[in-house]
Amino acid sequence: MGHIYIKDIQFADESKIQDGVLYVAKEELEKTALEDEKIKGVSFDIARPGESVRITPVKDVIEPRVKVEGRGGVFPGVISKVDTVGSGKTYALKGMAVVTAGRIVGFQEGIIDMTGPGAQYTPFSQTLNLVMVCEPVDDIKQHDYEKAVRFAGFRVAAYIGELARSLTPDETKVYETCTIKEGLEKYPELPRVAYVQMLQSQGLLHDTYVYGVDAKKIVPTILSPTEIMDGAIVSGNCVSACDKNPTYVHQNNPVVHDLFEEHGKTLNFVCQIITNENVYLADKQRSSDWTAKLCKMLDLDGVIVSQEGFGNPDTDLIMNCKKIEAEGVKTVIITDEYAGRDGKSQSLADADAAADAVVTGGNANEVIILPKLDKVIGTLDYVTKIAGASEETLREDGSLEVELQVITGATNETGFNKLSAR
């Protein structure tokens, strides 16, 4: 991975990266975004850390990348052809993001505040954000508009990533993956650990794409952890803002990166196992059975299991935990809590004694006041309808009274990033 650090974003007549500044031509960006006939209009704006700016309703956040060596390209099955990725060399534009926004779909979008108390709860208050606000054609179905906006964001991110193809990275990091046999021979004394990532896939508008395939259509499988760095997993879901993994988080999944940091030192990072979250009991049973089976077949000593969403997926989380533990593999689960505004309600919809090692992202029902900011990118028209808000959210002085779950990438008071951890 080659890291190219972006210090600023500016609109210009020509798109290029020079001396750490990303210059973008609006006309080129618009042309790229409007390739889908389902979008009739798009506008671009820039939000910088510390500015009195609120972005809402937020759909996705994407880090621009370009693959310069090796098989395939970024966002395989979505932007690039369906080639297996995760090897070679990829450049990432660090310190910035493409943020997609626009008319609300359903009620589970989000807010990014670039300053004030809200900025403390989202990592995207610290990135230079190129925001694209899309306008759909008339009478479009919600799921068609949702997909159109998401994919427009991927096209723009890929276009910007291409600007870095001939540059020299500011920093290079090497991630090496071993085969099962190589890992056993190289690290015979270290515990064998894997990451089980539960992908949101609970129905219409609750989509995650794996190589362009909706995760509802997959059974649990094994990935090389480097595949996500090329965009093998991208977001397409509309769960509450603090609970959904934007594509940026999939690309930079810190569970994967932290395990790589310990690989060969305190543990042998064997692989990443992806599974889905289902609506019907039989599907939950099938996926959790397969996940536990893979953990046993790989002869793992321990796994970290992360959840996306809340409520119904709590059942999948506990099923995975119980069944993996029953195979003699130790588990640590990462989740957040919905414990009510007073913090006194049951935090998860399901629980079991086997879940005795838990990392919490905090209580998403906690209430916060977001002061009025000078500028809104997007619209406040739907701010009372998003999950975690109410009819009383927009106050007379322009401030917002909301639950933490409305903030994209919300964190608890200790600064633990829920989305990053998940």
Side-chain angles (χ1 to χ4, degrees):
M1 288 295 305
H3 294 169
I4 297 169
Y5 289 95
I6 302 299
K7 304 171 186 176
D8 194 17
I9 304 175
Q10 297 181 20
F11 292 119
D13 294 331
E14 178 187 1
S15 294
K16 62 182 179 179
I17 300 171
Q18 185 175 350
D19 298 328
V21 178
L22 170 64
Y23 298 93
V24 288
K26 281 188 178 181
E27 289 185 2
E28 290 299 318
L29 297 181
E30 290 170 359
K31 180 180 178 181
T32 301
L34 295 175
E35 288 179 10
D36 192 321
E37 61 183 14
K38 298 181 180 67
I39 301 174
K40 68 179 181 182
V42 63
S43 61
F44 289 89
D45 210 330
I46 299 168
R48 300 176 176 87
E51 292 182 339
S52 184
V53 174
R54 173 167 293 142
I55 309 169
T56 188
V58 175
K59 295 183 177 297
D60 199 7
V61 185
I62 310 159
E63 185 174 76
R65 298 189 172 191
V66 59
K67 195 160 190 61
V68 296
E69 289 181 14
R71 184 178 177 184
V74 294
F75 309 125
V78 176
I79 297 297
S80 303
K81 293 182 179 179
V82 187
D83 289 313
T84 301
V85 294
S87 62
K89 184 184 295 183
T90 299
Y91 292 168
L93 273 57
K94 310 303 290 186
M96 71 150 297
V98 172
V99 178
T100 53
R103 187 186 301 178
I104 198 166
V105 175
F107 58 90
Q108 293 174 315
E109 309 292 1
I111 294 173
I112 296 174
D113 279 1
M114 302 303 293
T115 191
Q120 302 172 28
Y121 294 92
T122 173
F124 306 119
S125 65
Q126 304 303 309
T127 52
L128 294 159
N129 296 319
L130 178 65
V131 187
M132 47 186 294
V133 180
C134 298
E135 182 66 23
V137 297
D138 298 333
D139 301 322
I140 188 174
K141 294 181 179 179
Q142 286 183 315
H143 63 278
D144 288 332
Y145 171 44
E146 171 68 19
K147 185 174 181 179
V149 174
R150 299 274 183 177
F151 282 43
F154 300 142
R155 291 195 300 275
V156 169
Y159 170 85
I160 294 172
E162 279 290 336
L163 301 176
R165 180 176 290 278
S166 61
L167 299 182
T168 300
D170 299 304
E171 176 188 40
T172 298
K173 291 190 175 183
V174 178
Y175 300 89
E176 293 184 331
T177 54
C178 300
T179 65
I180 301 298
K181 182 180 179 181
E182 289 171 343
L184 283 169
E185 293 176 345
K186 195 171 183 179
Y187 308 112
E189 304 301 323
L190 294 180
R192 295 167 52 75
V193 177
Y195 170 39
V196 174
Q197 184 178 10
M198 295 168 50
L199 303 176
Q200 179 56 246
S201 57
Q202 284 183 280
L204 196 62
L205 300 177
H206 289 64
D207 307 324
T208 304
Y209 299 98
V210 181
Y211 283 90
V213 176
D214 192 332
K216 286 186 282 294
K217 300 178 181 179
I218 71 169
V219 291
T221 191
I222 299 171
L223 293 183
S224 166
T226 52
E227 292 178 61
I228 63 168
M229 299 178 191
D230 284 331
I233 301 176
V234 298
S235 175
N237 77 72
C238 291
V239 296
S240 293
C242 73
D243 272 299
K244 61 183 175 186
N245 287 326
T247 297
Y248 185 104
V249 173
H250 287 300
Q251 295 170 296
N252 295 281
N253 190 312
V255 177
V256 168
H257 284 272
D258 286 351
L259 286 170
F260 266 126
E261 286 295 321
E262 294 301 314
H263 179 63
K265 302 173 185 176
T266 62
L267 55 84
N268 175 8
F269 184 17
V270 176
C271 67
Q272 181 173 354
I273 299 171
I274 57 170
T275 183
N276 48 18
E277 299 169 352
N278 298 285
V279 176
Y280 296 106
L281 181 59
D283 295 328
K284 292 177 183 288
Q285 291 174 329
R286 180 186 304 107
S287 289
S288 56
D289 282 350
W290 277 51
T291 302
K293 177 186 69 174
L294 289 174
C295 291
K296 181 179 180 181
M297 290 176 66
L298 291 167
D299 199 24
L300 299 175
D301 297 300
V303 298
I304 297 174
V305 186
S306 67
Q307 175 188 12
E308 185 173 13
F310 68 98
N312 188 292
D314 293 350
T315 306
D316 303 77
L317 176 68
I318 298 301
M319 277 186 168
N320 283 318
C321 176
K322 287 195 303 183
K323 293 178 181 180
I324 295 170
E325 285 271 355
E327 296 293 353
V329 182
K330 296 182 182 297
T331 65
V332 174
I333 64 174
I334 302 174
T335 182
D336 62 356
E337 305 176 51
Y338 280 77
R341 293 190 171 190
D342 60 3
K344 297 180 180 180
S345 299
Q346 180 171 317
S347 298
L348 299 177
D350 197 4
D352 190 85
D356 59 359
V358 183
V359 176
T360 176
N363 179 20
N365 293 136
E366 181 181 338
V367 176
I368 183 175
I369 305 298
L370 303 179
K372 181 180 180 180
L373 298 184
D374 295 339
K375 179 180 178 180
V376 174
I377 300 178
T379 178
L380 288 174
D381 289 350
Y382 309 99
V383 75
T384 61
K385 299 179 181 179
I386 57 180
S390 67
E391 292 299 325
E392 288 74 41
T393 283
L394 185 56
R395 308 199 308 184
E396 289 187 7
D397 62 358
S399 63
L400 305 177
E401 181 177 350
V402 294
E403 294 183 1
L404 279 182
Q405 63 177 301
V406 311
I407 300 176
T408 301
T411 61
N412 70 355
E413 60 188 359
T414 66
F416 180 88
N417 189 313
K418 287 162 59 176
L419 272 179
S420 290
R422 299 162 75 83

Short mmCIF file of all heavy atoms in Angstrom, two decimals, residues 160-182:
data_model
loop_
_atom_site.label_atom_id
_atom_site.label_comp_id
_atom_site.label_asym_id
_atom_site.label_seq_id
_atom_site.Cartn_x
_atom_site.Cartn_y
_atom_site.Cartn_z
N ILE A 160 -10.77 9.93 -9.14
CA ILE A 160 -9.78 10.69 -8.37
C ILE A 160 -8.57 9.84 -8.07
O ILE A 160 -7.42 10.31 -8.13
CB ILE A 160 -10.43 11.23 -7.07
CG1 ILE A 160 -11.51 12.25 -7.42
CG2 ILE A 160 -9.38 11.83 -6.15
CD1 ILE A 160 -12.33 12.70 -6.23
N GLY A 161 -8.79 8.57 -7.76
CA GLY A 161 -7.67 7.67 -7.49
C GLY A 161 -6.72 7.58 -8.67
O GLY A 161 -5.49 7.51 -8.49
N GLU A 162 -7.27 7.58 -9.88
CA GLU A 162 -6.43 7.48 -11.08
C GLU A 162 -5.43 8.63 -11.19
O GLU A 162 -4.37 8.49 -11.82
CB GLU A 162 -7.31 7.44 -12.34
CG GLU A 162 -7.91 6.09 -12.65
CD GLU A 162 -6.85 5.08 -13.11
OE1 GLU A 162 -5.78 5.50 -13.61
OE2 GLU A 162 -7.10 3.88 -12.97
N LEU A 163 -5.74 9.77 -10.59
CA LEU A 163 -4.85 10.92 -10.65
C LEU A 163 -3.53 10.64 -9.94
O LEU A 163 -2.53 11.33 -10.16
CB LEU A 163 -5.52 12.14 -10.01
CG LEU A 163 -6.85 12.61 -10.62
CD1 LEU A 163 -7.42 13.76 -9.80
CD2 LEU A 163 -6.68 13.01 -12.07
N ALA A 164 -3.52 9.62 -9.09
CA ALA A 164 -2.32 9.30 -8.31
C ALA A 164 -1.47 8.21 -8.94
O ALA A 164 -0.40 7.87 -8.41
CB ALA A 164 -2.74 8.87 -6.90
N ARG A 165 -1.89 7.66 -10.06
CA ARG A 165 -1.23 6.48 -10.63
C ARG A 165 0.27 6.69 -10.85
O ARG A 165 1.08 5.79 -10.59
CB ARG A 165 -1.91 6.07 -11.94
CG ARG A 165 -1.28 4.87 -12.60
CD ARG A 165 -2.04 4.44 -13.85
NE ARG A 165 -3.34 3.88 -13.53
CZ ARG A 165 -3.54 2.62 -13.15
NH1 ARG A 165 -2.51 1.79 -13.02
NH2 ARG A 165 -4.76 2.19 -12.88
N SER A 166 0.68 7.84 -11.32
CA SER A 166 2.09 8.06 -11.67
C SER A 166 2.88 8.76 -10.56
O SER A 166 4.05 9.09 -10.74
CB SER A 166 2.19 8.89 -12.95
OG SER A 166 1.58 10.17 -12.77
N LEU A 167 2.25 8.95 -9.39
CA LEU A 167 2.92 9.64 -8.30
C LEU A 167 3.80 8.69 -7.49
O LEU A 167 3.66 7.47 -7.57
CB LEU A 167 1.89 10.30 -7.38
CG LEU A 167 0.98 11.36 -8.02
CD1 LEU A 167 0.06 11.95 -6.95
CD2 LEU A 167 1.79 12.46 -8.69
N THR A 168 4.68 9.28 -6.69
CA THR A 168 5.50 8.51 -5.75
C THR A 168 4.88 8.64 -4.37
O THR A 168 4.70 9.76 -3.88
CB THR A 168 6.94 9.04 -5.72
OG1 THR A 168 7.51 8.93 -7.03
CG2 THR A 168 7.79 8.25 -4.73
N PRO A 169 4.54 7.54 -3.73
CA PRO A 169 3.88 7.61 -2.42
C PRO A 169 4.75 8.29 -1.37
O PRO A 169 5.98 8.23 -1.41
CB PRO A 169 3.64 6.14 -2.06
CG PRO A 169 3.68 5.41 -3.36
CD PRO A 169 4.67 6.16 -4.21
N ASP A 170 4.09 8.95 -0.42
CA ASP A 170 4.78 9.54 0.72
C ASP A 170 5.21 8.47 1.72
O ASP A 170 6.15 8.67 2.49
CB ASP A 170 3.86 10.56 1.43
CG ASP A 170 3.46 11.69 0.50
OD1 ASP A 170 4.36 12.35 -0.05
OD2 ASP A 170 2.24 11.91 0.32
N GLU A 171 4.49 7.35 1.70
CA GLU A 171 4.75 6.28 2.65
C GLU A 171 4.32 4.97 2.01
O GLU A 171 3.32 4.92 1.28
CB GLU A 171 3.96 6.53 3.94
CG GLU A 171 4.07 5.43 4.99
CD GLU A 171 3.11 5.67 6.15
OE1 GLU A 171 1.96 6.10 5.90
OE2 GLU A 171 3.52 5.42 7.30
N THR A 172 5.06 3.90 2.27
CA THR A 172 4.69 2.59 1.75
C THR A 172 4.65 1.58 2.88
O THR A 172 5.54 1.54 3.73
CB THR A 172 5.71 2.12 0.69
OG1 THR A 172 5.70 3.03 -0.41
CG2 THR A 172 5.35 0.73 0.18
N LYS A 173 3.58 0.79 2.92
CA LYS A 173 3.45 -0.28 3.90
C LYS A 173 3.25 -1.60 3.17
O LYS A 173 2.51 -1.66 2.18
CB LYS A 173 2.27 -0.03 4.85
CG LYS A 173 2.48 1.14 5.79
CD LYS A 173 1.40 1.19 6.87
CE LYS A 173 1.69 2.28 7.88
NZ LYS A 173 0.68 2.29 8.98
N VAL A 174 3.93 -2.64 3.65
CA VAL A 174 3.87 -3.96 3.02
C VAL A 174 3.09 -4.91 3.91
O VAL A 174 3.36 -5.01 5.12
CB VAL A 174 5.28 -4.52 2.76
CG1 VAL A 174 5.19 -5.92 2.15
CG2 VAL A 174 6.07 -3.59 1.84
N TYR A 175 2.12 -5.60 3.34
CA TYR A 175 1.31 -6.59 4.05
C TYR A 175 1.53 -7.94 3.39
O TYR A 175 1.20 -8.11 2.21
CB TYR A 175 -0.17 -6.21 4.02
CG TYR A 175 -0.47 -4.88 4.64
CD1 TYR A 175 -0.43 -3.71 3.88
CD2 TYR A 175 -0.80 -4.76 5.99
CE1 TYR A 175 -0.70 -2.47 4.45
CE2 TYR A 175 -1.08 -3.53 6.56
CZ TYR A 175 -1.03 -2.39 5.78
OH TYR A 175 -1.29 -1.17 6.35
N GLU A 176 2.08 -8.88 4.12
CA GLU A 176 2.35 -10.20 3.57
C GLU A 176 1.39 -11.22 4.16
O GLU A 176 1.16 -11.24 5.37
CB GLU A 176 3.79 -10.62 3.88
CG GLU A 176 4.83 -9.78 3.15
CD GLU A 176 6.25 -10.26 3.40
OE1 GLU A 176 6.50 -10.83 4.47
OE2 GLU A 176 7.10 -10.06 2.51
N THR A 177 0.81 -12.03 3.31
CA THR A 177 -0.09 -13.09 3.76
C THR A 177 0.53 -14.44 3.48
O THR A 177 1.15 -14.65 2.44
CB THR A 177 -1.46 -12.99 3.06
OG1 THR A 177 -1.25 -12.97 1.64
CG2 THR A 177 -2.18 -11.72 3.46
N CYS A 178 0.36 -15.33 4.43
CA CYS A 178 0.90 -16.69 4.30
C CYS A 178 -0.20 -17.68 3.92
O CYS A 178 -1.37 -17.46 4.25
CB CYS A 178 1.51 -17.15 5.64
SG CYS A 178 2.85 -16.11 6.24
N THR A 179 0.15 -18.75 3.26
CA THR A 179 -0.78 -19.86 3.10
C THR A 179 -0.92 -20.55 4.46
O THR A 179 -0.17 -20.27 5.41
CB THR A 179 -0.27 -20.87 2.07
OG1 THR A 179 0.94 -21.48 2.56
CG2 THR A 179 0.00 -20.20 0.73
N ILE A 180 -1.89 -21.44 4.57
CA ILE A 180 -2.09 -22.16 5.83
C ILE A 180 -0.82 -22.90 6.24
O ILE A 180 -0.37 -22.82 7.39
CB ILE A 180 -3.27 -23.14 5.70
CG1 ILE A 180 -4.56 -22.41 5.33
CG2 ILE A 180 -3.45 -23.90 7.01
CD1 ILE A 180 -5.05 -21.40 6.33
N LYS A 181 -0.22 -23.60 5.28
CA LYS A 181 0.99 -24.38 5.56
C LYS A 181 2.15 -23.47 5.94
O LYS A 181 2.88 -23.74 6.90
CB LYS A 181 1.34 -25.22 4.35
CG LYS A 181 2.58 -26.10 4.55
CD LYS A 181 2.88 -26.91 3.30
CE LYS A 181 4.13 -27.77 3.49
NZ LYS A 181 4.45 -28.55 2.27
N GLU A 182 2.32 -22.38 5.20
CA GLU A 182 3.42 -21.45 5.48
C GLU A 182 3.30 -20.86 6.88
O GLU A 182 4.29 -20.73 7.60
CB GLU A 182 3.44 -20.33 4.45
CG GLU A 182 3.89 -20.77 3.07
CD GLU A 182 3.68 -19.69 2.02
OE1 GLU A 182 2.90 -18.74 2.28
OE2 GLU A 182 4.28 -19.81 0.93
#
